[in-house]
Amino acid sequence: MDFELTDEQRLFRQTLRDFADKEIMPVASEWERTGRYPAEFVARFKEMGLFGLNVPEEYGGLGADRVSYALAFEEIARAWLGAAGLFGPHSVACWMVARGGTDEQKARFLPRMASGELRSGLGLTEPGAGTDLQGIITTAVRDGDEYVVNGTKTWITNARVAGMLPILVKTGPVGGGHEAMSVLLVETGAPGFRVTRDLPKLGYKGPETCELVMEDVRVPVANLLGGEEGHGLQQVLGSLEIGRINISARAVGVAQAAYEAALNYSREREAFGRPIANFQAIQLKLADMATEIQAARLLAYWAASRSEATGGRVDLEAGMAKMYASEVAIKCALESMRIHGGYGYSAEYVVERLYRDAPLMAIGEGTNDVQRLVIAKSLVSGRGRLGW
């Protein structure tokens, strides 16, 4: 059992940390407050190869191991959750194509996705279907060598900048089960594809989150992920596991930022003639935060390691990591705000942004109640178990 990062992973983490500290942290709060799109970070992420984290080296990507993948999201989210969103859903889309695409689809899309020339996200959620993906009503009707797609998707991150989006559709009866579901790689320049609005959000500013409409959008049959209908739900669920690993890592980054802010403030702020860090009430909060953050971090790395080792589904591990880490992020953001007192409520301090960002991780990639059900089903069925 080895709890140490490899030399390569440590170097990768340090490179990301230096970049985040020097380039993201100094401007994150101001850019978020003014609604500025962080185009400069997009350019830097391209240079660093972060858009190709989940793209195999043969297609020009980093082909990163899963722990390095988690490290990337932890370090960038520690500086600004919104910046991590620029390549978060994109990385899951890359995984989806790399794992489930045909050879032709991989050759056509992955090199451009790896470079960041072709950006992507995930087109799953609909106004009437989020947790229950089998409830989607977006249809794709075969017409010769094309599908005609009609429907609405919502809460789609990076929709305005994406050149291609994997879209979950019904290629069978709308009332049908998983066998009626497929994923189409929809190129956003197609006639009839429209981004209708940006959705207002509590936090997670920076990347846009949109609603999009498809009206008689024609998609070549060659863009059916994997080349066969009826595998869409399995393709999506397998990819969401990878998404949950990056969400758990992002949550650890937000929690770490909240802890660091609280620790630094408690050392500087004085009350009754001494730093408040000397008071036991503050020390107890800091101790709980540090312990829970480290537990969340180990869960995230464990899920990443298990994904790497097995090469298959890690429902239990990814569910545990995502559920626990996101709850820790919410708790630490609130505790950090309490340690800051009135200043924690001020937009001049980073804590209020962390407090607004943290709840997203308990919702995205499947709510935490869903994660509890996933974990329980894995345990009850015997597919997952505790211990060694």
Side-chain angles (χ1 to χ4, degrees), residues 20 32 41 44 111 140 157 206 231 250 267 277 282 284 295 315 376-377:
E32 194 233 33
F41 298 155
R44 293 288 282 121
T157 300
H231 300 293
R250 286 197 242 182
R267 287 167 169 167
I282 301 298
L284 294 176
D315 302 78
K377 288 178 181 178

Side-chain angles (χ1 to χ4, degrees), residues 78-298:
R78 174 178 155 269
W80 186 13
L81 181 67
L86 297 172
F87 63 100
H90 173 92
S91 295
V92 180
C94 290
W95 174 269
M96 190 178 290
V97 176
R99 293 288 292 233
T102 64
D103 290 342
E104 186 274 334
Q105 289 166 351
K106 294 175 187 178
R108 181 153 50 104
F109 291 114
L110 288 179
R112 290 185 295 146
M113 294 176 81
S115 68
E117 173 194 347
L118 180 68
R119 295 173 61 192
S120 191
L122 293 174
L124 310 180
T125 303
E126 298 184 3
T131 297
D132 178 18
L133 286 176
Q134 293 195 55
I136 67 165
I137 58 174
T138 295
T139 58
V141 179
R142 181 86 179 251
D143 181 20
D145 292 333
E146 296 177 317
Y147 287 99
V148 180
V149 181
N150 284 279
T152 300
K153 296 291 181 178
T154 192
W155 295 110
I156 312 303
T157 300
N158 296 328
R160 289 195 182 277
V161 297
M164 181 276 288
L165 286 170
I167 301 288
L168 185 63
V169 299
K170 287 287 181 72
T171 46
V174 169
H178 66 85
E179 69 280 357
M181 304 176 75
S182 303
V183 172
L184 291 178
L185 306 177
V186 178
E187 294 172 86
T188 60
F193 184 100
R194 293 184 296 117
V195 175
T196 53
R197 65 185 181 117
D198 289 7
L199 299 169
K201 298 174 292 185
L202 172 69
Y204 194 43
K205 307 294 179 68
E208 73 281 17
T209 303
C210 306
E211 186 171 271
L212 58 89
V213 172
M214 292 164 287
E215 296 176 332
D216 294 331
V217 175
R218 290 190 168 268
V219 179
V221 171
N223 284 26
L224 173 66
L225 184 65
E228 292 184 5
E229 294 182 2
H231 300 293
L233 189 60
Q234 295 93 325
Q235 291 165 335
V236 165
L237 293 179
S239 299
L240 285 178
E241 286 192 347
I242 295 301
R244 285 165 188 158
I245 291 172
N246 97 42
I247 291 290
S248 68
R250 286 197 242 182
V252 171
V254 170
Q256 180 74 27
Y259 162 76
E260 290 174 0
L263 180 64
N264 292 335
Y265 181 82
S266 69
R267 287 167 169 167
E268 297 167 0
R269 175 70 172 179
E270 291 193 358
F272 307 103
R274 54 180 175 154
I276 64 172
N278 290 347
F279 292 107
Q280 287 186 346
I282 301 298
Q283 292 175 351
L284 294 176
K285 290 181 183 295
L286 293 172
D288 285 346
M289 291 169 70
T291 301
E292 292 178 359
I293 291 167
Q294 190 61 9
R297 178 176 287 113
L298 291 174

Side-chain angles (χ1 to χ4, degrees), residues 21 33 149 222 308 316 349:
D21 287 348
R33 192 162 47 246
V149 181
E308 183 81 29
L316 177 76
Y349 283 72

